[in-house]
Amino acid sequence: MANVIRLRKGLDIHLKGEPAKTQMSVKASAEYALVPEDFIGVMPKVVVREGDKVKAGDILFVNKKSPQVGFASPVSGVVSAVVRGDRRKLLCVKVKADAEQAFRDFGMKDPSSLDGASVVSSLLEGGLFGYINQLPYAVSATPEVMPKAIFVSAFRDMPLTADFDVELEDNEKFFQAGLTALSRVAKTYLGLSASQSSGVLSGMKDVEINVFDGPCPAGNVGVQVNHLAPVNKGEVVWTVDPTAVIFFGRLFLNGKVDLRRTIALGGSEMSNPCYVAVTVGQPFADVLAGHFTARDHVRLINGNPLTGRKASMEGYVGGHTSEITAIPEGDDCDEILGWIMPRTKEFSANRSYFSWLFGKSKEYVLDARVKGGERHMIMSGEYDSVFPMDIYPEYLIKAIIAGNIDKMEQLGIYEVAPEDFALAEFVDSSKLELQRIVREGLDMLRKENA
């Protein structure tokens, strides 16, 4: 029987534009691109040249810090461009796709018959190891240090985020194979929500299943790590997106790199919120055709509204992209009397508006405005009310701002990722960019311990 962990702290935000659970196809694109920025902590080194012929699964770039970690091409074709920015920073590697796709053959393997070293070797050879992240530092993992545990969270509960159950359909055997492979490396934990406890996921083998019952951010893998196997100094845990587990399963069972995935298109400004079948590296312009038209006063986001990055139609589906959302920018608003009005259509975490009278299920249209300037940090317990981890978030943020490494370590920075502070940033009356601050603190600590 699964272990049930009940969480009280958090905040569910219901936004208009929840994608309908219908899956639509997207036609194949002429060109795909793999973007290094999608893999946090990777220093990319290109190993192909323009004009090179590649198969799906061939390595396009590697991590300079760990050259054995490569990143596979999502399609076969010809390398059409190696795009660089300021100081020759690698922005992306583009591949003009073949009409008929050719895959590099890695050979089919039964993950249950492999040991941990063989699993890691297979993922490195297939260019998929970089899809694994690690704590501490919340960066792409390297194989030099083996983890004490591996965590997979099979549910997402940020606003407008994709439901993994939709993506799991017809991929159950690959997901199981991926979990079995990971379990050969270290003890693997699978986190589910209370609504998933009676479905296919609850029957997965070779993993310890834990059910998290509570509001957002219960689906954050960092929250699950904190409750099950907290990270101490010198320890490492791996965290794997459930979609990457499917990629791993396809590599073992089919012997090829298949980076097809299902993502959600949501938000109040999306004309047809739904799920679409895409391939990593596919251009947003092709993915969003018929669903979204770029226009003024609209924010397009690669990810969900709380943790995603501002995007444009020139972007590409990233290695960890599970949704694309569109919300109002808010730069054309002209409000009469501002916050003095009753505001029955505005969301408030502390019941400042009368909208709370309509119940928790009411859907809101929120824009991208911060609604205030950065100001002094007030120790009011705001962060703690939505932060379900055994950490003092306000004191940790202050330690990072002060650059006090000893205090950061004592206050649990090894256990957190920027996304864990997304809700705290949302409710913060001081308007601080908490996710950016945490990212800077993690980078500082990583550099110090290098």
Side-chain angles (χ1 to χ4, degrees), residues 18 115 120 164 214 268 271 336 349 428 444:
E18 193 74 25
D115 59 17
V120 171
F164 178 66
S268 59
S271 60
I336 300 176
D428 184 18
M444 183 194 311

Side-chain angles (χ1 to χ4, degrees), residues 108-119 122 177 180-184 206 252-253:
M108 293 181 288
K109 303 180 182 73
D110 178 7
S112 62
S113 65
L114 302 177
D115 59 17
S118 298
V119 169
S122 296
T180 299
L182 292 173
S183 70
R184 296 300 181 264
D206 301 318
F252 288 108
L253 298 186

Side-chain angles (χ1 to χ4, degrees), residues 55-70:
K55 292 182 179 180
D58 285 342
I59 303 300
L60 297 181
F61 58 84
V62 298
N63 186 357
K64 287 181 182 178
K65 294 184 176 180
S66 184
Q68 57 188 316
V69 179

Side-chain angles (χ1 to χ4, degrees), residues 233-313:
K233 186 174 183 179
E235 296 177 337
V236 170
V237 301
W238 288 354
T239 64
V240 188
D241 185 86
T243 303
V245 177
I246 293 176
F247 294 163
F248 300 166
R250 289 174 182 160
L251 176 65
F252 288 108
L253 298 186
N254 294 342
K256 62 183 182 181
V257 171
D258 184 351
L259 298 182
R260 292 175 299 158
R261 64 178 301 164
T262 300
I263 67 171
L265 306 181
S268 59
E269 305 305 302
M270 200 70 70
S271 60
N272 182 23
C274 64
Y275 287 81
V276 293
V278 300
T279 301
V280 170
Q282 198 155 7
F284 282 174
D286 294 341
V287 174
L288 296 172
H291 303 279
F292 175 78
T293 302
R295 55 193 185 275
D296 293 337
H297 315 305
V298 174
R299 171 76 62 92
L300 187 66
I301 303 170
N302 184 349
N304 66 72
L306 291 188
T307 64
R309 302 194 309 267
K310 185 176 180 180
S312 69
M313 295 294 280

Side-chain angles (χ1 to χ4, degrees), residues 42 56 212 226 367:
V42 169
F212 289 82
N226 179 261
D367 55 47

Side-chain angles (χ1 to χ4, degrees), residues 125-390:
E125 184 184 9
L128 295 180
F129 186 89
Y131 286 77
I132 300 173
N133 289 332
Q134 72 162 53
L135 292 176
Y137 313 128
V139 294
S140 186
T142 58
E144 284 78 18
V145 181
M146 288 294 101
K148 72 169 185 177
I150 300 174
F151 284 81
V152 179
S153 176
F155 75 105
R156 309 178 179 109
D157 54 5
M158 290 290 179
L160 298 180
T161 195
D163 185 348
F164 178 66
D165 287 359
V166 176
E167 188 165 4
L168 182 64
E169 189 174 347
D170 298 328
N171 287 305
E172 293 87 353
K173 67 176 182 179
F174 299 121
F175 189 67
Q176 178 62 77
L179 291 177
T180 299
L182 292 173
S183 70
R184 296 300 181 264
V185 179
K187 182 176 181 179
T188 302
Y189 297 85
L190 176 63
L192 308 180
S193 71
S195 62
Q196 294 172 312
S197 60
S198 60
V200 175
L201 288 166
S202 62
M204 290 293 161
K205 302 175 182 178
D206 301 318
V207 294
E208 180 182 304
I209 295 177
N210 295 277
V211 175
F212 289 82
D213 185 7
C216 177
N220 280 15
V221 70
V223 173
Q224 298 175 20
V225 171
N226 179 261
H227 282 80
L228 297 172
V231 182
N232 298 310
K233 186 174 183 179
E235 296 177 337
V236 170
V237 301
W238 288 354
T239 64
V240 188
D241 185 86
T243 303
V245 177
I246 293 176
F247 294 163
F248 300 166
R250 289 174 182 160
L251 176 65
F252 288 108
L253 298 186
N254 294 342
K256 62 183 182 181
V257 171
D258 184 351
L259 298 182
R260 292 175 299 158
R261 64 178 301 164
T262 300
I263 67 171
L265 306 181
S268 59
E269 305 305 302
M270 200 70 70
S271 60
N272 182 23
C274 64
Y275 287 81
V276 293
V278 300
T279 301
V280 170
Q282 198 155 7
F284 282 174
D286 294 341
V287 174
L288 296 172
H291 303 279
F292 175 78
T293 302
R295 55 193 185 275
D296 293 337
H297 315 305
V298 174
R299 171 76 62 92
L300 187 66
I301 303 170
N302 184 349
N304 66 72
L306 291 188
T307 64
R309 302 194 309 267
K310 185 176 180 180
S312 69
M313 295 294 280
E314 287 72 43
Y316 298 90
V317 175
H320 298 289
T321 298
S322 55
E323 60 273 329
I324 303 172
T325 51
I327 63 175
E329 187 70 55
D331 55 354
D332 59 338
C333 295
D334 186 14
E335 298 179 329
I336 300 176
L337 299 180
W339 56 268
I340 299 177
M341 298 295 287
R343 293 192 171 217
T344 56
K345 296 182 180 180
E346 296 288 336
F347 178 83
S348 174
N350 54 17
R351 296 189 175 185
S352 295
Y353 309 141
F354 286 103
S355 55
W356 67 271
L357 294 170
F358 295 96
K360 295 182 179 180
S361 61
K362 177 179 172 61
E363 292 185 335
Y364 297 88
V365 177
L366 300 187
D367 55 47
R369 287 178 296 165
V370 178
K371 296 184 178 179
E374 192 171 299
R375 59 202 76 168
H376 292 294
M377 188 173 176
I378 303 170
M379 303 293 284
S380 60
E382 283 180 317
Y383 303 170
D384 191 59
S385 65
V386 295
F387 198 83
M389 299 172 69
D390 189 20

